[in-house]
Structure formats: C-alpha cells, structure tokens
Amino acid sequence: MKKIVIAIDGYSACGKSSTAKRVAAQLNYAYIDTGAMYRAVTYYFLQHFVNPTNPKAVEQALKTIGIEFHYNPKTGENETYLNGLNVEKEIRGMEVSERVSEVSTLPRVRSCMVELQRKMGKKKGVVMDGRDIGTTVFPDAELKIFMTADFNERAARRQQELLEKKQLVALEAVKENLAKRDHIDTTRAESPLRKAEDAYVIDTTHTTMDEQVGMILDMARTTI
Ligand code: C5P
C-alpha cells in the first residue's frame, strides 16, 4: 500500500494530537507532534535565559538544541527529548504555554523546525500535527485536515487535560492563554495558522474521538 503524509493543522485544544495519534496507530504510521518541538525550544530558551529578541543568542541556542522523540512503552506514547533529556512533562506546563507562541514567531526558529520536520517525514507514512504542516512543511501532503472547535469547548478540554496532569489552572487563565496564542499564531508574518486551500475542515465541537478518527481514516483510505 502507498504511504502518504497526513497533515493535521488547527487551533490549540481542538483534539488534534489525540486524533492524530490514533490515526497514526491505526495506519501503522509515525506520529509527529510539531507543537512539542516549538515547546521544547521555548523550554530551552527559558532554562538558559535566551532573549528571543537577540538574534545572536537565538542562533547560538539553535546550534545547541537537539530534539528527538522516543517511544515510552510504559505510557504507550512518543515522548519529547531535549538534548537527551525527557522534557515531556516540563513542556506541557503553563510557563511554556505562555511563551511558546512568541518564540514560534521567530523566522530562524521556524526554519530550523521545518527542516527537522521535513527530515522526519521524508519517508512518508507519517501523521504530523501543527499549525503550518499543510501550508508550509508539506504543501504536497496527500491528505490535509484543518481542525477547529468552539472556543469555550476548547478551553474546557484544555483545562481538563491540565487537570489530568495534576495542574489546576482557572478556566479564565486557560481562556486567556488560548486567545493570546490564537491571535499570535494567526497573525504572525511567518507561516501563520490558516487552512490550506485543499484541506478538509473538521469541527470537533460535537464529535466524539471515534468519529473524528473514523472520518480521517475514511479519507486516508480513499487516498492511499
Ligand atoms: O500544538 P501545541 O498547542 O502544543 O503548540 C504550541 C504552540 O507552538 C502553538 O500555539 C504555536 O505557537 C506553535 N506551533 C507553531 N507551528 C507548529 C506547531 C506549533 O507555530 N507547526
């Protein structure tokens, strides 16, 4: 069977990662969470006091940063490693969430991540989720999905996700963070979040995870 690239873009907290992971598992494809890569860079910047407005410091940091994903059989998940250390927990917290969109506007950070993502997806047979996969990273992806959902529903889901990771964050703070990231992600100069012309839209406000996964698998099977 032909292997393809499935690009899933969309807003934060509409279920992209969970859906993408399950689609990848069903097709026996690799899953790449590109948001985790921008989060790992942001975590490094915070840890090493890298000033995002200082191009030399950014360049130097990017030379030092190594990002990999390794499968953890205990959790059944691909986890994010920064320079050999598992940072999966650290990159999901509010501190990183507060800064990641700002760091993601930097053209050098983007070009570095896009290069890495293209390498990771070169052999195809991959489901990649993010903000610019169908428009910039793999504009020739065989299947493109644009996911969206009602803002309040997204905020409630993100708050629940954080709670499951033992982080109690007020709903208002979650909403504020999502709104700020939506704004930066859709208005930045370099590959802003937008629907690729040939992407299918899936609104997950009222769909179950099984339905979302089923829709994408059906589309994938007609493409393969
Ligand atoms: O997917 P997640 O919400 O973890 O992504 C965190 C942030 O990383 C996004 O809000 C966005 O600023 C940035 N991002 C990006 N391009 C991608 C993936 C994520 O700019 N392909």
Side-chain angles (χ1 to χ4, degrees), residues 12 34-35 38-39 100-101 104 110 130-132 181 185 188:
S12 312
T34 64
Y38 289 95
R39 285 175 179 273
V100 61
S101 286
S104 302
R110 301 207 71 80
R131 304 293 186 288
D132 60 341
R181 285 205 282 142
D185 293 348
R188 67 181 175 223

Side-chain angles (χ1 to χ4, degrees), residues 9-13 16-17 33-39 42 91-92 97 100-105 110 117 129-133 137 158 181-182 184-185 188 191:
D9 289 305
Y11 296 96
S12 312
K16 290 191 309 293
S17 319
D33 174 357
T34 64
M37 299 167 74
Y38 289 95
R39 285 175 179 273
T42 305
I91 64 169
R92 305 291 169 188
S97 294
V100 61
S101 286
E102 182 194 339
V103 171
S104 302
T105 61
R110 301 207 71 80
Q117 289 152 11
D129 82 355
R131 304 293 186 288
D132 60 341
I133 312 304
V137 183
R158 179 48 49 90
R181 285 205 282 142
D182 283 359
I184 301 177
D185 293 348
R188 67 181 175 223
S191 43

Side-chain angles (χ1 to χ4, degrees), residues 140-207:
D140 296 329
E142 288 84 350
L143 177 58
K144 298 181 189 176
I145 310 290
F146 188 83
M147 277 174 111
T148 176
D150 170 77
F151 181 77
N152 288 326
E153 179 63 28
R154 288 166 50 209
R157 287 181 195 168
R158 179 48 49 90
Q159 190 191 33
Q160 182 59 30
E161 257 172 47
L162 287 164
L163 203 58
E164 280 159 19
K165 288 175 184 145
K166 309 218 175 346
Q167 294 189 52
L168 187 62
V169 185
L171 189 59
E172 273 318 304
V174 175
K175 282 187 181 172
E176 218 174 274
N177 178 253
L178 286 186
K180 183 177 142 200
R181 285 205 282 142
D182 283 359
H183 177 72
I184 301 177
D185 293 348
T186 52
T187 57
R188 67 181 175 223
E190 193 87 9
S191 43
L193 166 65
R194 62 180 172 79
K195 180 185 113 42
E197 270 177 24
D198 49 350
Y200 295 97
V201 177
I202 298 183
D203 183 329
T204 67
T205 312
H206 302 293
T207 53

